[in-house]
Amino acid sequence: MKEYYKKDEWKIIEEGFNPDMHEASESIFSLGNGRMGQRANFEEKYSGKSLQGTYIAGVYYPDKTRVGWWKNGYPEYFAKVLNAPNWIGILVDVDGLALDLNTVKVKNFRRELDMKQACLRRSFIAVFPNGHEIEIKTSRFLSIVNDELGVIRYSVKALNFAGTIHFTPFIDGDIRNEDSNYDEQFWDTLECKVDNASAFLLAKTRKSEFLVGMTMLYEVTKNNSILKLSSEPIRNDKYVASQVSIEVQKNDEVEIFKYVSVLSSLNHSSPGKIAINGRKVAEEGLQRKYDSLFKDHIAAWDEKWLHSDIIIKGDEAAQQGIRFNIFHLNQTYTGKDERLNIGPKGFTGEKYGGSTYWDTEAFLIPFYLSTAPQDVARNLLVYRYKHLGKAIENAEKLGFHSGAALYPMVTINGEECHNEWEITFEEIHRNGAIAFAIYNYIRYTGREDYLAEYGLEVLIGISRFWKQRVNWSDVKGQYVMLGVTGPNEYENNVNNNWYTSKMAVWTLEYTLKAIDYVMEVHPARYTEITEATSFNHEREIAAWNDVVQNMYFPYSENLKVFLQQDGYLDKEQKMASELDPAERPINQHWSWDRILRSCFLKQADVLQGIYTFEDHFDAEEIKRNFDFYEPRTLHESSLSPCVHSILANRIGYIHKAYDLYLRTSRLDLDDYNHEVREGLHITSMGGTWMSVVYGFGGLRVTEEMLHFDPVVPENWESLSFKIMYRENMLRININKTTTVIDNESGPEIRVMLKGKKYVIGKGKQLSV
Ligand code: BGC
C-alpha cells in the first residue's frame, strides 16, 4: 500500500512526474460520461510506458477464445469493450523538437482530477535539450450534458525564447487492445477526411460491425485572441491530422481548443448520419466554446453531487476516498440506455472486457437506487430481462432444459463470454444475485408491478435452473448442490457451498411469492406469462416447494457456524495473520493448487450470504460467523472488504469496520492489490458506498420502512449523506451524539431510528 496522491477533499493530485507511476495514474485520473470514457493518457506524444485506452460503452469485439483444454460448453469468444480510435491527441513541436515527457526535462508537474467539476487538468514546465522552456497547462472533460462530445484546452507558453510552435491535433485509428488474444487489430478504418481545421475518421469493428465516427474541430488563440491560420492536412489510411504553426515571442501563450464528437452505430443508423450528426455536435461545441460548455457540464455534475455526495468531516483520507468512488460510479453509468451495463473496470482499463458480472446486481444497484431516479436502477434490471432468452440458451448448452435460465458470469450481449470451467460452469451464484436484485428494487421502490412487467419471467427461468441444478441425496435424505464455486474463488468444485444454496432456496421461495402476487393482482398478465413460459403451475410449484423444504445446508454443530462448503473444516485451519506479508496477495505468490487446499478465503461466502439476508439472523449468529470467517479472509477480491465492513459495524466492531472501509474506499488510490495500472475497481466502488451508508449510516431497508442505526468512527466528526427513497429525499446527518434526518422533499415518512419508530412530516426534521 502506498500513499502517493495528495490528500484533498475534492481533488486527486499528483505532484512531480514519475514515469513508473504513469500507468497507474492513467487509471486513477480516468474520465467518463456514461457513453464513453478514457484513461488519462497524455494529449502530446509520450514514448514512455503507457496503456492507451479510449472506450465507447456497448461497442465490443468478440475476440476468439483462447484456452488450453477446450471443454464443451465454453463460449466461442470473449466479448471485449474496445480500445477505440484515439481522439485526444495533440502533437506539440517547438522549433523542430517534439514535446515528449519521456525525453524532455520536466519541472513542476502536477496532474489533478477535479471530482466536483469532472475535469482532468495538468500543468508542467518542459525544458528541451536546446534550453527552450515552455509551460503547459491542459484541461479536458467529457461532457455529461452531451455525452457524444469531448473537449480539450491545451496551452503552451514560451518562457525563454522566440520561435515556432506547431500543433498537430489528430485522430488515430491505428490502435490495439493490449488484451487481444491473437494480437489482431479489431478495427478497420473506413474513411479519413481532413479539411482546414476539421477532420473526420470513421472506423468499423471487425466481426461485430459497430461503426464509430469521430469529428474534430479546433481553434487556436494567441494571448487570448483567435488566430486565423492556414493548416496543413495530414492523412493516411488510419490517421487524420491537421497541422498549424504559430510564431511566438518570449512570454506569448498559445492555446488550442479541440472539440471532438464521438458517435456510434448504437445510436445512429448509417455512416452518413454518423458523419452529419457528428459534424453538428462538434460544430455546436466550437460555437459554444470551452467555457460555456464547461459551465453546463459543471452544473449537471453539481446536480449529481447534490444527490449522491457523502460528507465526512474530520478525516480527509476517508472523505477523498468516498468521493473518488462516487465520482467514478457517476461517470461510468448514467442509466440513460438500458442496453448498457457496468464493467468491473468501467472506462479505466481493458481487464474483464468491459463486460457485466454479478457485481452489478450485488454491489452497484443499491448505490443507483438511493442516489438516482428510479429508472436508472430499473434499466439495469431490464438489461437482464432482455437477455433472458440468451440465458435460457446458455443453460441449454450446459444440458438444462424446459426454460431453465443460467445467466452468464460475464457478458456484454447476453451470451456467456467466460471460459474457465470453475467460473463459467460453477460460479452459478450469479443467478441468485440477479433474482435478489429484483426483490431489492421492489423492496426499495415499492414498484411491485415490476414483477408482472418483467420480473416474474426472469424469476421463473432462474428457479427452474435451481430446481434442475440440485439433486436428491439418498445418503443425506436431502437435496444437495454439487460441484460449485462460490464467490470465494479460492475453492473450486466444492459441494454444498452454503451461500449458493442459500441464494437458490431463497430464489425459489421468492418466486413462489411473486407468482401469488401476479396471479392475484395481474391475472391476465399471469396467464400471458404462464403461456409464454409453458409454466406448469401445479407440478413446478410442488417441485420447488419440495426443494425449499428439503435443502441441505452445511453447518458445524461444534462451532455453531454455517460452513463455507462440506469439506471446509477438513482443511488445515490457519489465520490470515499467520501469513508472511511478502506472500500476499497469495494469488501472485502461491501455486493454484496450494491456494485451493488452504483454508484462506478470497472473500467469505457465508458472510456475503449473511449480509444479503441479514434479517434472517440474530446478532449472536452474525458475530459467531464473522469471528470465525473474517480472520481466515484475505480480502483479495476487491468485492470483499466492503461487505465485511458493513457486518463489522453491525456487530459493533467499529475499528475493524473503519479499517476495512479505508481499504475499500482507497483500494485504488493506495493500490492495495498492486494492480491499479490495469484499471480501477469500479464495481467494488458501489460496495464502498454501501459500507458508508449501510455500514456507518446503519441503513437497512425493509418492506415497510427505512431503518437507521448509525455510528461514526472515532476519528470522524460527522457523516452526512442523502438518499432518495420512493417519493422522498432524505438528508441524514450523524455526529457523535446526534442523528438528524431531514425530510427535504416528499410526503410524511415513517422511519426507524435506533430501534424506535418516528414519523417525519413533509419538509420536517427529526433530531435524536
Ligand atoms: C471476483 C468476482 C468478480 C470479478 C469481477 C473477481 O476477482 O472474485 O466475484 O465478479 O472479480 O469484479
Side-chain angles (χ1 to χ4, degrees), residues 1 9 86 105 214 286 370 529 551 560 565 632 695:
M1 184 198 113
E9 292 189 352
N86 167 11
K105 189 169 162 216
M214 299 181 172
L286 183 70
S370 289
I529 294 174
M551 187 72 190
K560 303 255 176 296
Q565 47 106 351
R632 291 160 170 81

Side-chain angles (χ1 to χ4, degrees), residues 344 352 357-359 409 427 487 489 602-603 637-639 683:
Y352 299 112
Y357 286 63
W358 73 301
D359 306 28
M409 183 62 184
E427 243 189 272
E489 291 168 339
K602 192 180 183 196
Q603 61 193 92
S637 163
S638 65
L639 302 176
T683 47

Side-chain angles (χ1 to χ4, degrees), residues 541-712:
I541 286 184
W544 295 352
N545 264 319
D546 192 33
V547 177
V548 169
Q549 275 147 35
N550 295 296
M551 187 72 190
Y552 163 77
F553 289 97
Y555 182 74
S556 163
E557 286 297 344
N558 264 350
L559 300 165
K560 303 255 176 296
V561 296
F562 306 108
L563 289 177
Q564 165 78 18
Q565 47 106 351
D566 274 354
Y568 189 71
L569 287 181
D570 293 334
K571 294 181 161 193
E572 186 185 2
Q573 297 297 314
K574 283 197 158 178
M575 302 297 122
S577 56
E578 294 172 56
L579 268 173
D580 176 353
E583 295 185 10
R584 292 176 71 168
I586 56 170
N587 62 37
Q588 289 174 18
H589 295 93
W590 285 15
S591 74
W592 195 248
D593 80 296
R594 186 174 172 201
I595 292 177
L596 294 181
R597 282 182 283 111
S598 85
C599 75
F600 294 121
L601 303 168
K602 192 180 183 196
Q603 61 193 92
D605 294 352
V606 167
L607 299 184
Q608 178 76 29
I610 290 184
Y611 153 74
T612 310
F613 302 110
E614 204 187 291
D615 49 347
H616 298 195
F617 309 96
D618 62 38
E620 267 311 299
E621 247 171 337
I622 299 178
K623 187 167 175 309
R624 249 192 338 267
N625 282 280
F626 188 92
D627 288 344
F628 180 76
Y629 283 108
E630 206 284 327
R632 291 160 170 81
T633 305
L634 305 182
H635 303 296
E636 287 176 10
S637 163
S638 65
L639 302 176
S640 184
C642 52
V643 162
H644 292 73
S645 172
I646 296 170
L647 287 181
N649 250 316
R650 175 80 168 81
I651 54 178
Y653 292 180
I654 309 302
H655 288 296
K656 184 90 206 166
Y658 178 72
D659 285 350
L660 289 165
Y661 162 73
L662 271 193
R663 182 166 174 152
T664 174
S665 77
R666 299 190 60 90
L667 178 79
D668 290 319
L669 282 176
D670 296 337
D671 201 6
Y672 277 87
N673 287 359
H674 312 286
E675 57 186 14
V676 78
R677 162 198 183 270
E678 296 172 347
L680 307 179
H681 296 87
I682 299 294
T683 47
S684 92
M685 293 180 175
T688 304
W689 178 89
M690 294 190 310
S691 65
V692 176
V693 174
Y694 290 22
F696 300 108
L699 171 68
R700 293 295 174 276
V701 186
T702 63
E703 275 147 47
E704 294 80 44
M705 67 181 102
L706 298 178
H707 295 231
F708 296 92
D709 196 0
V711 59
V712 289

Side-chain angles (χ1 to χ4, degrees), residues 171-454:
I171 306 172
D172 184 10
D174 192 8
I175 28 89
R176 287 178 181 271
N177 265 52
E178 195 179 63
D179 68 353
S180 162
N181 282 344
Y182 295 89
D183 206 21
E184 288 169 286
Q185 257 192 330
F186 297 151
W187 295 90
D188 287 319
T189 307
L190 303 185
E191 215 179 308
C192 284
K193 272 202 221 153
V194 203
D195 169 21
N196 294 326
S198 79
F200 174 69
L201 184 141
L202 181 70
K204 183 163 147 186
T205 59
R206 295 185 181 165
K207 293 191 196 162
S208 48
E209 305 199 332
F210 289 103
L211 291 168
V212 168
M214 299 181 172
T215 304
M216 114 184 158
L217 297 176
Y218 69 94
E219 70 183 3
V220 179
T221 62
K222 184 153 95 179
N223 303 326
N224 296 322
S225 304
I226 296 178
L227 296 178
K228 286 218 166 352
L229 298 167
S230 62
S231 57
E232 192 188 324
I234 304 171
R235 183 168 48 145
N236 68 32
D237 292 354
K238 297 180 176 179
Y239 177 90
V240 277
S242 168
Q243 189 177 72
V244 286
S245 58
I246 312 121
E247 299 302 320
V248 290
Q249 300 301 317
K250 186 175 159 196
N251 285 330
D252 276 349
E253 184 186 11
V254 286
E255 278 189 284
I256 176 165
F257 295 85
K258 184 175 177 186
Y259 303 88
V260 184
S261 64
V262 177
L263 274 62
S264 83
S265 51
L266 275 179
N267 297 314
H268 303 271
S269 56
S270 65
K273 289 207 168 124
I274 290 180
I276 293 168
N277 297 340
R279 177 90 198 184
K280 274 193 211 145
V281 172
E283 268 172 4
E284 197 201 314
L286 183 70
Q287 274 158 21
R288 298 263 329 266
K289 306 240 181 290
Y290 186 98
D291 288 337
S292 123
L293 295 165
F294 190 43
K295 210 168 135 214
D296 290 355
H297 174 74
I298 297 172
W301 267 94
D302 279 347
E303 187 67 19
K304 282 187 181 293
W305 282 114
L306 185 69
H307 298 141
S308 56
D309 191 22
I310 292 181
I311 301 164
I312 296 173
K313 292 239 164 80
D315 185 346
E316 210 176 18
Q319 175 68 80
Q320 185 185 41
I322 190 64
R323 286 209 172 116
F324 182 68
N325 287 258
I326 296 170
F327 170 69
H328 277 288
L329 289 168
N330 278 331
Q331 68 168 352
T332 305
Y333 184 73
T334 53
K336 282 190 194 161
D337 186 339
E338 66 191 28
R339 294 166 301 175
L340 305 181
N341 209 289
I342 305 155
K345 299 269 164 216
F347 297 121
T348 70
E350 296 174 3
K351 203 174 167 199
Y352 299 112
S355 298
T356 305
Y357 286 63
W358 73 301
D359 306 28
T360 294
E361 283 77 14
F363 297 90
L364 294 169
I365 283 193
F367 169 78
Y368 295 106
L369 268 178
S370 289
T371 61
Q374 281 179 12
D375 55 332
V376 172
R378 189 177 188 277
N379 274 350
L380 290 170
L381 301 188
V382 173
Y383 176 90
R384 294 293 193 178
Y385 173 78
K386 298 252 155 103
H387 290 174
L388 178 59
K390 298 265 189 206
I392 293 173
E393 276 172 33
N394 184 42
E396 278 167 1
K397 282 187 200 150
L398 308 190
F400 299 89
H401 51 85
S402 315
L406 175 61
Y407 277 91
M409 183 62 184
V410 179
T411 193
I412 210 155
N413 59 5
E415 288 169 16
E416 177 62 85
C417 282
H418 201 279
N419 49 47
E420 278 168 76
W421 62 268
E422 60 278 34
I423 293 175
T424 315
F425 306 144
E426 296 201 334
E427 243 189 272
I428 51 180
H429 63 82
R430 71 243 188 186
N431 250 10
I434 291 166
F436 187 80
I438 296 174
Y439 166 74
N440 205 8
Y441 167 79
I442 293 171
R443 179 175 62 174
Y444 197 88
T445 60
R447 300 295 309 271
E448 210 166 1
D449 54 347
Y450 183 80
L451 283 175
E453 211 177 343
Y454 296 121

